[in-house]
Every structure is written in structure tokens, then in C-alpha cells.
Amino acid sequence: MPDEGHSQPPKKDSFAALRYKDFRAYIGMRFFFTFAYQMQTVVIGFYIYQLTHSTFKLGMLGLCEAIPAVGIALYGGYIADKSEKRKMLLLIYTGVFLSSLVMGVVTLSSMRQYIHADWIVPIIYVMIFCNGVARAFYGPATFTVYAHSIPKELYPNGSTWSSSSWQIASILGPAAGGLIYGFAGKFIPGISGITATFVVILFLILVSLVLVYFLKKYPPVFKPKENIWKSLAEGIHFVFKNKMMLGAMSLDLFSVFFGGVVALLPVFANEILKVGPEGLGIMRAVGSAGAVITMLAMSRFSPMNKPWRNLLIAVTGFGASIICFGLSRNFYLSLFFLFTEGAFDSVSVIIRGTIMQLLTPDEMRGRVSAVNSMFIGSSNELGDFESGTAASILGTVPAVLFGGCVTLTVVTVTYLKTKNLIPLSLEDINRRDTAV
């Protein structure tokens, strides 16, 4: 069985990347952390909406996380390039565990006699802000760990499995969070749904923390010879001179920023579809279900034959699904459109992830990943803020329809400006270094 020696497995092996021990440790660590994080996101969103009934305050959750994640992302990439990655991940997971512990404590019913109700939401915002700080370092660190866990020729296969595991966790996390939140208080005397959910969240983060120890140490390959500002500028320049990489990031940024509906799902669950927290968990999970099924299919049928063409098609399908979801008033039809949204989005994730891994030199992975985080990693949270703000001004459904229409407009403009990239295969892109 291949391992750290990186001898090449059979080319047609769909499980090739999983045959490497370090990659399996990486997948497990990321899976349990994502599971916990997705649980926390769905229950905190529903909890805050129940407390405040404000779409704007719901959207503020995304802004609180996005501000530090974007603001210090480049610095996080610089630190990741020049630091040992396993130690970084241990510190990051410890910080997230502590912030989740604080949120679990302040949401306890018994704490109401010590903490005024008006302080609960601000405390949660502060903890989400701390999570955003951790994310600024988390993305660049894991990007580098992934790159060194398998041979370069297996990046497309590894990207499929990495994204699939993330999506599976994104199915189970929201579903588990919604179900525990909705049913725990009914079946476990003396404990609320939010408290039971945070017990599970904290346990899963601890599992992730333990799995970090199974990773190899990844010593830095970048030793800065100039000051930090020149090092950061080097990473930005690399991305901006690479037309394919920049285009993929920009397309994803604007489509997710305007087209995302995740922040408004508590409103749909509570007021429009009237399915409660249990239905919210299913709604959050079904998009990831569409993504996982599509990604498993892509482990056999790669979308990388003409990546730019396929990317434009996928984002078009994503925008159309958002519009159809906004128009639906039937729970099961809404689930179908969330499913197709996740399916189309997964194609974009695979294409963008493979392009980034293949075209990024080892000594710049942290900084390039940081630029990607500024474009992509926080677009969901910024999109949540945009959705909450737009819904408070336009109304929930008009805000969703507006976002879907903007997404289709962005795809159209991108198509008109990048027609020369559409016929290129991945081999063409590598040969021409995407300077097309």
C-alpha cells in the first residue's frame, strides 16, 4: 500500500489518494471539525433568530466571522508558509474549542440568572469573531498539509475525496444539529436542545484535535528573505497575473456573495415553509447531499476535460437553482432545488480546488491560499451578511430572487470576457501557465 514514499498507485484507481496514511489523517481531522462547525452554524443561527426575530442580526453572524477572516488572511498565509503546520493546527483547534465552550455556557438556561439576555447575542458575536481569526490561519495551514499528503499527480483525485468528505460532514452536521436542537429537550429531561447540541460539538472538536497528532510534521519550505509586506505582495501578484486562477476566484466570490441563501434558511424554516429546527437541519443538509453525490460521480468522471467551460455551466445552474428555491412554497420542492444548488456548486469546488493546487508552487501555498480565502473562504459569511441586509430591506423572498439574478448576470459577463479560456483542457492550461 502506498504511503509516505509516494510511489504512484494505479492510474485508474478511484481510491488512489485514500491509500496514503497522511491523507487519511487529514481527511479525518477535517471531517470531524467540519461536522462540528456546521452543527454550530445551524444551531446558532436558529437560536439567534428565535431570540431576536431579526434577519439583520442573523446576517451579522456572517459579518462577524468574515471581518477577521478577510482582514488578516494574508498574514495568516504568511505565517503558514514559514511555520510548522501541525503545531499551527493544534493552536487553531484549541482556540475554536474554547470559543465554542463559551457559546455553550452562555446559552445554558441556568446562566440567565448571571448573564442578562441582552448580552447573550453580543457574546456570541465576539466568539464568532474569534472563530474568524482562527479561520484566517486554518485555511492556509490545511491547504499546505493537503499538498504534501499525496503526490502531485493525485491532486484531482484527492480534491474529489477531500471535498466529498467536507460535504458529507456538511450533510450530517446541520441535520444532526437541527435534530438534536429540536428533539433533545423533549427526550432528555433537564437539558435544552441548544445545550445538548454544544456537548456534541465540543466532543467532535476534541476528536479533530486528537487526529492532528496523526499528521506528519510539515516543516516550512519558505524562509522569507524580505520583509513581510514584500512577501505578501508576492503572493497577491502571483494570483493576479494568473488569469485562470483569478477568474475562478472572482466568479465564485460574486456568485456566492449574491447567490447564497444559507443565512436566510432559518427564516424559510420558521416563517415561510414552517418546518421548524428539524426542517432547517434537513434544508441545510440536502444541499451538501447533492454535492456529495455529484462529487462521488466526479471521482469517476472528471470535470477537468474543459474546466473553464464546465465551471461556467456549473455556476449558471447554481444561480438558476437559487431563483427556483426562492419561488417555491413547497418544502419538498424547495429541498430539490437546494439539492441541485449543492450539486452545481460541487463542480465549481472541484475545478477551482484542482486548478489552485496544480498551479501553486510549494513555497507560496500559504500566501496563495490566503488570497483564495479572501476571495472564497469568507464569501459565504459576507454573502450571509448581504442576504440578511437585503432581506431586511427588500424582504426575504425578493432578496433571494435578486441574488440569483445577480449570479446569472455575473456568469454572463464572465463568459463574454473569457471566451478564449472555454476550449482549453487542463493540459493546455498547464502548458501555457494560464497566461491566456
Side-chain angles (χ1 to χ4, degrees), residues 235-270:
I236 296 172
H237 178 70
F238 176 82
V239 171
F240 275 79
K241 76 175 184 179
N242 193 306
K243 188 173 182 179
M244 176 69 79
M245 188 179 290
L246 178 63
M249 288 184 183
S250 301
L251 185 62
D252 195 282
L253 168 66
F254 289 108
S255 61
V256 173
F257 180 80
F258 288 105
V261 297
V262 172
L264 299 178
L265 289 183
V267 185
F268 277 89
N270 204 50

Side-chain angles (χ1 to χ4, degrees), residues 243-244 308-309 418-425 429 434 436:
K243 188 173 182 179
M244 176 69 79
W308 195 250
R309 179 201 66 183
T418 60
K419 287 183 179 180
N420 60 321
L421 298 179
I422 291 174
L424 296 182
S425 67
I429 294 167
T434 69
V436 291

Side-chain angles (χ1 to χ4, degrees), residues 142-199:
T142 55
F143 187 78
T144 304
V145 169
Y146 168 87
H148 290 285
S149 65
I150 52 175
K152 191 172 184 179
E153 61 268 17
L154 293 183
Y155 283 173
N157 182 259
S159 180
T160 298
W161 286 111
S162 177
S163 297
S164 297
S165 69
W166 186 91
Q167 293 289 357
I168 290 171
S170 296
I171 293 174
L172 299 177
L179 291 171
I180 295 172
Y181 190 110
F183 290 113
K186 300 176 183 177
F187 296 103
I188 306 175
I191 187 170
S192 67
I194 189 74
T195 300
T197 306
F198 266 104
V199 170

Side-chain angles (χ1 to χ4, degrees), residues 93-112:
Y93 283 146
T94 300
V96 174
F97 178 86
L98 292 175
S99 67
S100 297
L101 179 63
V102 171
M103 285 189 281
V105 169
V106 301
T107 55
L108 285 169
S109 300
S110 58
M111 291 300 293
R112 295 296 178 86

Side-chain angles (χ1 to χ4, degrees), residues 68-78 136-137 140 366-367 370-371 373-374:
V70 172
I72 61 175
L74 287 175
Y75 180 70
Y78 172 80
F137 296 90
R367 284 164 290 167
V371 176
S373 295
M374 295 178 70

